[in-house]
Amino acid sequence: MTRASGGPSARQWVSTTKSEHLRGRRARDTKPEVTLRKAVHRLGLRFRLQRQVARRCTADFVLPRYQIAVFVDGCFWHGCPEHCPAEFQGPNALLWQEKIAANRKRDQRNTMEATEAG
């Protein structure tokens, strides 16, 4: 996470061995997402993948017939109180806190905009 200008005050992520496993994680078609979609499909419901439901708001899948948008949020990335660390440590601790806070804020905005869009 850096500023677009890349100026001297831009904070840089520091690569650590502990965070190496996070590199290259899937953004879509994750295990929980696929498992949920399979269950929904077995119920006979049909859906569309990765549909924009409002400005800058893309749902993981949408059930158009029922006007339902589904967002599958991973525990770590979205600040789950049960599975996300209460306190981050290491050289990137502040950046992680900011990232998770920004994700949660975006989730709230997306939910509100999707609701308003119907």
Side-chain angles (χ1 to χ4, degrees), residues 49-77:
L49 299 178
Q50 302 295 322
R51 291 295 163 124
Q52 186 170 354
V53 294
R55 185 181 65 83
R56 293 175 45 205
C57 177
T58 301
D60 294 311
F61 67 95
V62 174
L63 296 124
R65 175 184 238 172
Y66 303 99
Q67 293 185 315
I68 295 175
V70 179
F71 300 89
V72 182
D73 296 337
C75 286
F76 177 81
W77 301 107

PDB file of all heavy atoms in Angstrom, residues 49-77:
ATOM      1  N   LEU A  49     -22.357 -15.030 -11.839  1.00  0.00           N
ATOM      2  CA  LEU A  49     -21.112 -14.758 -11.117  1.00  0.00           C
ATOM      3  C   LEU A  49     -20.585 -13.361 -11.382  1.00  0.00           C
ATOM      4  O   LEU A  49     -20.725 -12.826 -12.479  1.00  0.00           O
ATOM      5  CB  LEU A  49     -20.039 -15.764 -11.524  1.00  0.00           C
ATOM      6  CG  LEU A  49     -20.342 -17.226 -11.245  1.00  0.00           C
ATOM      7  CD1 LEU A  49     -19.201 -18.096 -11.749  1.00  0.00           C
ATOM      8  CD2 LEU A  49     -20.562 -17.455  -9.768  1.00  0.00           C
ATOM      9  N   GLN A  50     -19.963 -12.790 -10.348  1.00  0.00           N
ATOM     10  CA  GLN A  50     -19.234 -11.527 -10.457  1.00  0.00           C
ATOM     11  C   GLN A  50     -20.039 -10.460 -11.199  1.00  0.00           C
ATOM     12  O   GLN A  50     -19.615  -9.920 -12.207  1.00  0.00           O
ATOM     13  CB  GLN A  50     -17.877 -11.754 -11.143  1.00  0.00           C
ATOM     14  CG  GLN A  50     -16.976 -12.746 -10.447  1.00  0.00           C
ATOM     15  CD  GLN A  50     -16.532 -12.274  -9.075  1.00  0.00           C
ATOM     16  OE1 GLN A  50     -16.263 -11.090  -8.890  1.00  0.00           O
ATOM     17  NE2 GLN A  50     -16.461 -13.169  -8.116  1.00  0.00           N
ATOM     18  N   ARG A  51     -21.197 -10.135 -10.668  1.00  0.00           N
ATOM     19  CA  ARG A  51     -22.058  -9.133 -11.278  1.00  0.00           C
ATOM     20  C   ARG A  51     -21.977  -7.821 -10.517  1.00  0.00           C
ATOM     21  O   ARG A  51     -22.013  -7.801  -9.301  1.00  0.00           O
ATOM     22  CB  ARG A  51     -23.521  -9.599 -11.294  1.00  0.00           C
ATOM     23  CG  ARG A  51     -23.769 -10.746 -12.225  1.00  0.00           C
ATOM     24  CD  ARG A  51     -23.525 -10.288 -13.655  1.00  0.00           C
ATOM     25  NE  ARG A  51     -23.353 -11.404 -14.542  1.00  0.00           N
ATOM     26  CZ  ARG A  51     -24.074 -11.619 -15.611  1.00  0.00           C
ATOM     27  NH1 ARG A  51     -25.022 -10.790 -15.946  1.00  0.00           N
ATOM     28  NH2 ARG A  51     -23.826 -12.659 -16.372  1.00  0.00           N
ATOM     29  N   GLN A  52     -21.897  -6.746 -11.278  1.00  0.00           N
ATOM     30  CA  GLN A  52     -21.904  -5.427 -10.665  1.00  0.00           C
ATOM     31  C   GLN A  52     -23.347  -5.106 -10.279  1.00  0.00           C
ATOM     32  O   GLN A  52     -24.242  -5.147 -11.111  1.00  0.00           O
ATOM     33  CB  GLN A  52     -21.364  -4.382 -11.631  1.00  0.00           C
ATOM     34  CG  GLN A  52     -21.218  -3.027 -10.992  1.00  0.00           C
ATOM     35  CD  GLN A  52     -20.457  -2.044 -11.871  1.00  0.00           C
ATOM     36  OE1 GLN A  52     -19.939  -2.406 -12.904  1.00  0.00           O
ATOM     37  NE2 GLN A  52     -20.404  -0.814 -11.438  1.00  0.00           N
ATOM     38  N   VAL A  53     -23.558  -4.812  -9.001  1.00  0.00           N
ATOM     39  CA  VAL A  53     -24.907  -4.544  -8.508  1.00  0.00           C
ATOM     40  C   VAL A  53     -25.123  -3.071  -8.193  1.00  0.00           C
ATOM     41  O   VAL A  53     -26.251  -2.644  -7.980  1.00  0.00           O
ATOM     42  CB  VAL A  53     -25.250  -5.418  -7.276  1.00  0.00           C
ATOM     43  CG1 VAL A  53     -25.302  -6.884  -7.669  1.00  0.00           C
ATOM     44  CG2 VAL A  53     -24.251  -5.208  -6.156  1.00  0.00           C
ATOM     45  N   ALA A  54     -24.046  -2.320  -8.128  1.00  0.00           N
ATOM     46  CA  ALA A  54     -24.095  -0.876  -7.919  1.00  0.00           C
ATOM     47  C   ALA A  54     -22.739  -0.328  -8.361  1.00  0.00           C
ATOM     48  O   ALA A  54     -21.810  -1.086  -8.656  1.00  0.00           O
ATOM     49  CB  ALA A  54     -24.368  -0.536  -6.460  1.00  0.00           C
ATOM     50  N   ARG A  55     -22.625   0.969  -8.383  1.00  0.00           N
ATOM     51  CA  ARG A  55     -21.356   1.587  -8.787  1.00  0.00           C
ATOM     52  C   ARG A  55     -20.229   1.104  -7.874  1.00  0.00           C
ATOM     53  O   ARG A  55     -20.344   1.171  -6.657  1.00  0.00           O
ATOM     54  CB  ARG A  55     -21.511   3.112  -8.703  1.00  0.00           C
ATOM     55  CG  ARG A  55     -20.322   3.881  -9.201  1.00  0.00           C
ATOM     56  CD  ARG A  55     -20.552   5.378  -9.049  1.00  0.00           C
ATOM     57  NE  ARG A  55     -20.666   5.804  -7.670  1.00  0.00           N
ATOM     58  CZ  ARG A  55     -19.600   6.064  -6.890  1.00  0.00           C
ATOM     59  NH1 ARG A  55     -18.388   5.936  -7.354  1.00  0.00           N
ATOM     60  NH2 ARG A  55     -19.782   6.448  -5.646  1.00  0.00           N
ATOM     61  N   ARG A  56     -19.164   0.591  -8.465  1.00  0.00           N
ATOM     62  CA  ARG A  56     -17.989   0.102  -7.736  1.00  0.00           C
ATOM     63  C   ARG A  56     -18.350  -0.980  -6.715  1.00  0.00           C
ATOM     64  O   ARG A  56     -17.761  -1.071  -5.649  1.00  0.00           O
ATOM     65  CB  ARG A  56     -17.264   1.257  -7.049  1.00  0.00           C
ATOM     66  CG  ARG A  56     -16.624   2.224  -8.019  1.00  0.00           C
ATOM     67  CD  ARG A  56     -16.001   3.424  -7.340  1.00  0.00           C
ATOM     68  NE  ARG A  56     -15.228   3.039  -6.176  1.00  0.00           N
ATOM     69  CZ  ARG A  56     -14.986   3.847  -5.146  1.00  0.00           C
ATOM     70  NH1 ARG A  56     -15.459   5.065  -5.138  1.00  0.00           N
ATOM     71  NH2 ARG A  56     -14.272   3.437  -4.134  1.00  0.00           N
ATOM     72  N   CYS A  57     -19.347  -1.788  -7.038  1.00  0.00           N
ATOM     73  CA  CYS A  57     -19.821  -2.812  -6.113  1.00  0.00           C
ATOM     74  C   CYS A  57     -20.140  -4.085  -6.898  1.00  0.00           C
ATOM     75  O   CYS A  57     -21.166  -4.153  -7.582  1.00  0.00           O
ATOM     76  CB  CYS A  57     -21.063  -2.300  -5.389  1.00  0.00           C
ATOM     77  SG  CYS A  57     -21.799  -3.492  -4.283  1.00  0.00           S
ATOM     78  N   THR A  58     -19.261  -5.069  -6.807  1.00  0.00           N
ATOM     79  CA  THR A  58     -19.441  -6.320  -7.522  1.00  0.00           C
ATOM     80  C   THR A  58     -19.676  -7.447  -6.527  1.00  0.00           C
ATOM     81  O   THR A  58     -18.843  -7.695  -5.650  1.00  0.00           O
ATOM     82  CB  THR A  58     -18.201  -6.637  -8.389  1.00  0.00           C
ATOM     83  OG1 THR A  58     -18.000  -5.567  -9.305  1.00  0.00           O
ATOM     84  CG2 THR A  58     -18.369  -7.929  -9.155  1.00  0.00           C
ATOM     85  N   ALA A  59     -20.799  -8.124  -6.676  1.00  0.00           N
ATOM     86  CA  ALA A  59     -21.135  -9.244  -5.793  1.00  0.00           C
ATOM     87  C   ALA A  59     -20.431 -10.500  -6.296  1.00  0.00           C
ATOM     88  O   ALA A  59     -20.165 -10.648  -7.486  1.00  0.00           O
ATOM     89  CB  ALA A  59     -22.640  -9.461  -5.782  1.00  0.00           C
ATOM     90  N   ASP A  60     -20.148 -11.425  -5.374  1.00  0.00           N
ATOM     91  CA  ASP A  60     -19.526 -12.692  -5.762  1.00  0.00           C
ATOM     92  C   ASP A  60     -20.467 -13.502  -6.631  1.00  0.00           C
ATOM     93  O   ASP A  60     -20.052 -14.117  -7.595  1.00  0.00           O
ATOM     94  CB  ASP A  60     -19.110 -13.482  -4.522  1.00  0.00           C
ATOM     95  CG  ASP A  60     -18.009 -12.777  -3.759  1.00  0.00           C
ATOM     96  OD1 ASP A  60     -17.026 -12.374  -4.402  1.00  0.00           O
ATOM     97  OD2 ASP A  60     -18.127 -12.610  -2.534  1.00  0.00           O
ATOM     98  N   PHE A  61     -21.739 -13.527  -6.262  1.00  0.00           N
ATOM     99  CA  PHE A  61     -22.746 -14.062  -7.164  1.00  0.00           C
ATOM    100  C   PHE A  61     -24.095 -13.441  -6.838  1.00  0.00           C
ATOM    101  O   PHE A  61     -24.319 -12.924  -5.751  1.00  0.00           O
ATOM    102  CB  PHE A  61     -22.783 -15.592  -7.199  1.00  0.00           C
ATOM    103  CG  PHE A  61     -23.232 -16.294  -5.947  1.00  0.00           C
ATOM    104  CD1 PHE A  61     -24.546 -16.677  -5.774  1.00  0.00           C
ATOM    105  CD2 PHE A  61     -22.315 -16.630  -4.959  1.00  0.00           C
ATOM    106  CE1 PHE A  61     -24.957 -17.361  -4.645  1.00  0.00           C
ATOM    107  CE2 PHE A  61     -22.711 -17.317  -3.839  1.00  0.00           C
ATOM    108  CZ  PHE A  61     -24.039 -17.680  -3.669  1.00  0.00           C
ATOM    109  N   VAL A  62     -24.976 -13.470  -7.842  1.00  0.00           N
ATOM    110  CA  VAL A  62     -26.275 -12.817  -7.736  1.00  0.00           C
ATOM    111  C   VAL A  62     -27.352 -13.817  -8.135  1.00  0.00           C
ATOM    112  O   VAL A  62     -27.193 -14.562  -9.095  1.00  0.00           O
ATOM    113  CB  VAL A  62     -26.341 -11.581  -8.669  1.00  0.00           C
ATOM    114  CG1 VAL A  62     -27.724 -10.969  -8.685  1.00  0.00           C
ATOM    115  CG2 VAL A  62     -25.304 -10.554  -8.251  1.00  0.00           C
ATOM    116  N   LEU A  63     -28.432 -13.833  -7.373  1.00  0.00           N
ATOM    117  CA  LEU A  63     -29.620 -14.606  -7.729  1.00  0.00           C
ATOM    118  C   LEU A  63     -30.618 -13.596  -8.287  1.00  0.00           C
ATOM    119  O   LEU A  63     -31.378 -12.974  -7.538  1.00  0.00           O
ATOM    120  CB  LEU A  63     -30.186 -15.314  -6.495  1.00  0.00           C
ATOM    121  CG  LEU A  63     -29.234 -16.357  -5.919  1.00  0.00           C
ATOM    122  CD1 LEU A  63     -28.951 -16.086  -4.469  1.00  0.00           C
ATOM    123  CD2 LEU A  63     -29.793 -17.723  -6.135  1.00  0.00           C
ATOM    124  N   PRO A  64     -30.596 -13.372  -9.608  1.00  0.00           N
ATOM    125  CA  PRO A  64     -31.395 -12.291 -10.205  1.00  0.00           C
ATOM    126  C   PRO A  64     -32.897 -12.444  -9.972  1.00  0.00           C
ATOM    127  O   PRO A  64     -33.582 -11.453  -9.742  1.00  0.00           O
ATOM    128  CB  PRO A  64     -31.075 -12.359 -11.692  1.00  0.00           C
ATOM    129  CG  PRO A  64     -30.067 -13.401 -11.883  1.00  0.00           C
ATOM    130  CD  PRO A  64     -29.845 -14.111 -10.601  1.00  0.00           C
ATOM    131  N   ARG A  65     -33.403 -13.671 -10.001  1.00  0.00           N
ATOM    132  CA  ARG A  65     -34.839 -13.900  -9.838  1.00  0.00           C
ATOM    133  C   ARG A  65     -35.335 -13.382  -8.489  1.00  0.00           C
ATOM    134  O   ARG A  65     -36.465 -12.933  -8.358  1.00  0.00           O
ATOM    135  CB  ARG A  65     -35.122 -15.390  -9.965  1.00  0.00           C
ATOM    136  CG  ARG A  65     -36.559 -15.749  -9.698  1.00  0.00           C
ATOM    137  CD  ARG A  65     -36.734 -17.234  -9.742  1.00  0.00           C
ATOM    138  NE  ARG A  65     -37.724 -17.551 -10.764  1.00  0.00           N
ATOM    139  CZ  ARG A  65     -37.999 -18.754 -11.162  1.00  0.00           C
ATOM    140  NH1 ARG A  65     -37.343 -19.777 -10.687  1.00  0.00           N
ATOM    141  NH2 ARG A  65     -38.926 -18.957 -12.063  1.00  0.00           N
ATOM    142  N   TYR A  66     -34.473 -13.456  -7.471  1.00  0.00           N
ATOM    143  CA  TYR A  66     -34.857 -13.058  -6.118  1.00  0.00           C
ATOM    144  C   TYR A  66     -34.255 -11.712  -5.700  1.00  0.00           C
ATOM    145  O   TYR A  66     -34.424 -11.287  -4.568  1.00  0.00           O
ATOM    146  CB  TYR A  66     -34.438 -14.138  -5.122  1.00  0.00           C
ATOM    147  CG  TYR A  66     -35.028 -15.474  -5.477  1.00  0.00           C
ATOM    148  CD1 TYR A  66     -34.269 -16.420  -6.146  1.00  0.00           C
ATOM    149  CD2 TYR A  66     -36.351 -15.772  -5.183  1.00  0.00           C
ATOM    150  CE1 TYR A  66     -34.818 -17.649  -6.497  1.00  0.00           C
ATOM    151  CE2 TYR A  66     -36.902 -16.988  -5.528  1.00  0.00           C
ATOM    152  CZ  TYR A  66     -36.130 -17.928  -6.189  1.00  0.00           C
ATOM    153  OH  TYR A  66     -36.673 -19.129  -6.544  1.00  0.00           O
ATOM    154  N   GLN A  67     -33.531 -11.092  -6.603  1.00  0.00           N
ATOM    155  CA  GLN A  67     -32.847  -9.819  -6.345  1.00  0.00           C
ATOM    156  C   GLN A  67     -31.977  -9.916  -5.087  1.00  0.00           C
ATOM    157  O   GLN A  67     -32.048  -9.084  -4.191  1.00  0.00           O
ATOM    158  CB  GLN A  67     -33.836  -8.665  -6.222  1.00  0.00           C
ATOM    159  CG  GLN A  67     -34.534  -8.350  -7.527  1.00  0.00           C
ATOM    160  CD  GLN A  67     -35.412  -7.119  -7.424  1.00  0.00           C
ATOM    161  OE1 GLN A  67     -36.147  -6.945  -6.474  1.00  0.00           O
ATOM    162  NE2 GLN A  67     -35.282  -6.269  -8.433  1.00  0.00           N
ATOM    163  N   ILE A  68     -31.136 -10.954  -5.067  1.00  0.00           N
ATOM    164  CA  ILE A  68     -30.227 -11.169  -3.943  1.00  0.00           C
ATOM    165  C   ILE A  68     -28.794 -11.127  -4.460  1.00  0.00           C
ATOM    166  O   ILE A  68     -28.444 -11.817  -5.420  1.00  0.00           O
ATOM    167  CB  ILE A  68     -30.490 -12.528  -3.260  1.00  0.00           C
ATOM    168  CG1 ILE A  68     -31.874 -12.519  -2.624  1.00  0.00           C
ATOM    169  CG2 ILE A  68     -29.421 -12.828  -2.222  1.00  0.00           C
ATOM    170  CD1 ILE A  68     -32.296 -13.846  -2.033  1.00  0.00           C
ATOM    171  N   ALA A  69     -27.979 -10.312  -3.803  1.00  0.00           N
ATOM    172  CA  ALA A  69     -26.551 -10.243  -4.099  1.00  0.00           C
ATOM    173  C   ALA A  69     -25.816 -10.893  -2.924  1.00  0.00           C
ATOM    174  O   ALA A  69     -26.111 -10.609  -1.764  1.00  0.00           O
ATOM    175  CB  ALA A  69     -26.105  -8.799  -4.254  1.00  0.00           C
ATOM    176  N   VAL A  70     -24.870 -11.766  -3.239  1.00  0.00           N
ATOM    177  CA  VAL A  70     -24.137 -12.498  -2.207  1.00  0.00           C
ATOM    178  C   VAL A  70     -22.669 -12.079  -2.237  1.00  0.00           C
ATOM    179  O   VAL A  70     -22.016 -12.118  -3.287  1.00  0.00           O
ATOM    180  CB  VAL A  70     -24.257 -14.021  -2.410  1.00  0.00           C
ATOM    181  CG1 VAL A  70     -23.479 -14.775  -1.340  1.00  0.00           C
ATOM    182  CG2 VAL A  70     -25.719 -14.445  -2.415  1.00  0.00           C
ATOM    183  N   PHE A  71     -22.166 -11.681  -1.064  1.00  0.00           N
ATOM    184  CA  PHE A  71     -20.761 -11.329  -0.901  1.00  0.00           C
ATOM    185  C   PHE A  71     -20.164 -12.349   0.066  1.00  0.00           C
ATOM    186  O   PHE A  71     -20.635 -12.479   1.190  1.00  0.00           O
ATOM    187  CB  PHE A  71     -20.608  -9.922  -0.307  1.00  0.00           C
ATOM    188  CG  PHE A  71     -21.215  -8.848  -1.164  1.00  0.00           C
ATOM    189  CD1 PHE A  71     -22.538  -8.470  -1.011  1.00  0.00           C
ATOM    190  CD2 PHE A  71     -20.449  -8.216  -2.130  1.00  0.00           C
ATOM    191  CE1 PHE A  71     -23.098  -7.477  -1.791  1.00  0.00           C
ATOM    192  CE2 PHE A  71     -20.999  -7.215  -2.925  1.00  0.00           C
ATOM    193  CZ  PHE A  71     -22.324  -6.853  -2.752  1.00  0.00           C
ATOM    194  N   VAL A  72     -19.150 -13.075  -0.375  1.00  0.00           N
ATOM    195  CA  VAL A  72     -18.495 -14.068   0.484  1.00  0.00           C
ATOM    196  C   VAL A  72     -17.196 -13.436   0.971  1.00  0.00           C
ATOM    197  O   VAL A  72     -16.233 -13.325   0.229  1.00  0.00           O
ATOM    198  CB  VAL A  72     -18.220 -15.387  -0.277  1.00  0.00           C
ATOM    199  CG1 VAL A  72     -17.599 -16.414   0.645  1.00  0.00           C
ATOM    200  CG2 VAL A  72     -19.510 -15.918  -0.890  1.00  0.00           C
ATOM    201  N   ASP A  73     -17.207 -13.008   2.234  1.00  0.00           N
ATOM    202  CA  ASP A  73     -16.061 -12.301   2.799  1.00  0.00           C
ATOM    203  C   ASP A  73     -15.205 -13.251   3.624  1.00  0.00           C
ATOM    204  O   ASP A  73     -15.704 -13.897   4.552  1.00  0.00           O
ATOM    205  CB  ASP A  73     -16.532 -11.150   3.693  1.00  0.00           C
ATOM    206  CG  ASP A  73     -17.295 -10.091   2.914  1.00  0.00           C
ATOM    207  OD1 ASP A  73     -17.098 -10.012   1.688  1.00  0.00           O
ATOM    208  OD2 ASP A  73     -18.075  -9.359   3.534  1.00  0.00           O
ATOM    209  N   GLY A  74     -13.921 -13.307   3.299  1.00  0.00           N
ATOM    210  CA  GLY A  74     -12.985 -14.127   4.061  1.00  0.00           C
ATOM    211  C   GLY A  74     -12.730 -13.522   5.436  1.00  0.00           C
ATOM    212  O   GLY A  74     -12.664 -12.307   5.594  1.00  0.00           O
ATOM    213  N   CYS A  75     -12.604 -14.384   6.424  1.00  0.00           N
ATOM    214  CA  CYS A  75     -12.432 -13.928   7.815  1.00  0.00           C
ATOM    215  C   CYS A  75     -11.243 -12.979   7.976  1.00  0.00           C
ATOM    216  O   CYS A  75     -11.373 -11.913   8.564  1.00  0.00           O
ATOM    217  CB  CYS A  75     -12.255 -15.131   8.735  1.00  0.00           C
ATOM    218  SG  CYS A  75     -13.784 -16.037   9.011  1.00  0.00           S
ATOM    219  N   PHE A  76     -10.085 -13.379   7.491  1.00  0.00           N
ATOM    220  CA  PHE A  76      -8.887 -12.566   7.707  1.00  0.00           C
ATOM    221  C   PHE A  76      -9.012 -11.204   7.043  1.00  0.00           C
ATOM    222  O   PHE A  76      -8.807 -10.168   7.672  1.00  0.00           O
ATOM    223  CB  PHE A  76      -7.641 -13.287   7.176  1.00  0.00           C
ATOM    224  CG  PHE A  76      -6.395 -12.461   7.316  1.00  0.00           C
ATOM    225  CD1 PHE A  76      -5.732 -12.400   8.528  1.00  0.00           C
ATOM    226  CD2 PHE A  76      -5.899 -11.725   6.257  1.00  0.00           C
ATOM    227  CE1 PHE A  76      -4.582 -11.624   8.673  1.00  0.00           C
ATOM    228  CE2 PHE A  76      -4.759 -10.948   6.387  1.00  0.00           C
ATOM    229  CZ  PHE A  76      -4.107 -10.906   7.600  1.00  0.00           C
ATOM    230  N   TRP A  77      -9.381 -11.187   5.773  1.00  0.00           N
ATOM    231  CA  TRP A  77      -9.372  -9.950   4.986  1.00  0.00           C
ATOM    232  C   TRP A  77     -10.455  -8.967   5.386  1.00  0.00           C
ATOM    233  O   TRP A  77     -10.379  -7.785   5.079  1.00  0.00           O
ATOM    234  CB  TRP A  77      -9.506 -10.267   3.499  1.00  0.00           C
ATOM    235  CG  TRP A  77      -8.406 -11.130   3.022  1.00  0.00           C
ATOM    236  CD1 TRP A  77      -8.489 -12.458   2.700  1.00  0.00           C
ATOM    237  CD2 TRP A  77      -7.039 -10.772   2.835  1.00  0.00           C
ATOM    238  NE1 TRP A  77      -7.263 -12.928   2.327  1.00  0.00           N
ATOM    239  CE2 TRP A  77      -6.351 -11.923   2.399  1.00  0.00           C
ATOM    240  CE3 TRP A  77      -6.327  -9.590   2.999  1.00  0.00           C
ATOM    241  CZ2 TRP A  77      -4.997 -11.918   2.118  1.00  0.00           C
ATOM    242  CZ3 TRP A  77      -4.968  -9.595   2.721  1.00  0.00           C
ATOM    243  CH2 TRP A  77      -4.320 -10.749   2.278  1.00  0.00           C
TER     244      TRP A  77
END
